[in-house]
Amino acid sequence: MYQAEHPDPRVVGLALISPPLRAEWDTGRYSDLLAQAERLVADGRAEELLPGPWIRLSARTLLSTHRFELDHIGRARPDAPIAHVRCPVLAILGTNEPNIGVPDDLEAVRRNARAAPRVELRVLEGADHSYVGQEARLAEVLADWVTAVGVSSNPSPQS
């Protein structure tokens, strides 16, 4: 999470839309699948699809995801990047994306965003991971939050 490692004072708020909250996103749990992906890449078959822990992924994408480390929220690590974010945080999750998280998982954001001056959690009833059919509601939640944290919807151009 870039803002945690390189705080930028121009960033006045961080919106996390469907962040990976479940332990299933910890790719290290899938050593056999990672080994298979490594073999495929070594054999020049990096684009071959694997069943993946969540959805079908290419071997290259699975390995890239593994190297990226998706536990920004602190499911399994006590000093997660979210702990270092010093601006307001909004986390949004739909109720129809159980592979990403369930509403109770959002509390990890509140619990671990210790340096954030404000943490808000929102659940969009009926929304899936792509927010299909919920786009207007998602935009409304984001716009209300942006207004609440004092961000201008029409910032002046920087010189």
Side-chain angles (χ1 to χ4, degrees), residues 126-146:
D128 63 15
H129 189 60
S130 298
Y131 294 85
V132 173
Q134 299 286 332
E135 300 89 347
R137 179 70 182 124
L138 176 61
E140 179 184 333
V141 169
L142 285 167
D144 288 349
W145 180 75
V146 165

Side-chain angles (χ1 to χ4, degrees), residues 2 16 26 31 40 46 48 60 105-106 135 144 155:
Y2 188 85
L16 306 171
D26 297 333
S31 56
L40 288 169
E48 189 164 318
R60 179 188 328 250
D105 294 330
L106 279 174
E135 300 89 347
D144 288 349

Side-chain angles (χ1 to χ4, degrees), residues 1-158:
M1 183 176 294
Y2 188 85
Q3 185 63 19
E5 295 175 19
H6 308 281
D8 185 332
R10 296 171 298 175
V11 176
V12 296
L14 179 65
L16 306 171
I17 302 173
S18 297
L21 298 167
R22 306 303 318 248
E24 290 81 10
W25 282 88
D26 297 333
T27 55
R29 298 173 47 159
Y30 307 100
S31 56
D32 291 345
L33 195 56
L34 289 168
Q36 182 182 2
E38 293 277 0
R39 286 190 302 274
L40 288 169
V41 168
D43 290 345
R45 297 174 17 210
E47 299 308 315
E48 189 164 318
L49 294 178
L50 297 169
W54 328 286
I55 60 171
R56 292 179 56 83
L57 300 168
S58 72
R60 179 188 328 250
T61 299
L62 178 61
L63 294 176
S64 176
T65 301
H66 179 65
R67 290 183 188 108
F68 182 64
E69 176 56 65
L70 289 174
D71 188 10
H72 301 298
I73 305 303
R75 288 181 313 277
R77 50 193 258 202
D79 194 32
I82 193 73
H84 304 285
V85 171
R86 299 191 185 300
C87 60
V89 173
L90 168 67
I92 302 172
L93 185 69
T95 56
N96 291 344
E97 50 180 335
N99 289 337
I100 301 298
V102 296
D104 287 346
D105 294 330
L106 279 174
E107 279 303 319
V109 176
R110 185 186 315 280
R111 183 176 59 251
N112 295 332
R114 296 181 293 276
R118 175 181 184 160
V119 177
E120 294 184 42
L121 311 175
R122 296 285 184 271
V123 175
L124 274 81
E125 189 66 41
D128 63 15
H129 189 60
S130 298
Y131 294 85
V132 173
Q134 299 286 332
E135 300 89 347
R137 179 70 182 124
L138 176 61
E140 179 184 333
V141 169
L142 285 167
D144 288 349
W145 180 75
V146 165
T147 300
V149 297
V151 179
S152 170
S153 62
N154 192 7
S156 60
Q158 295 183 5

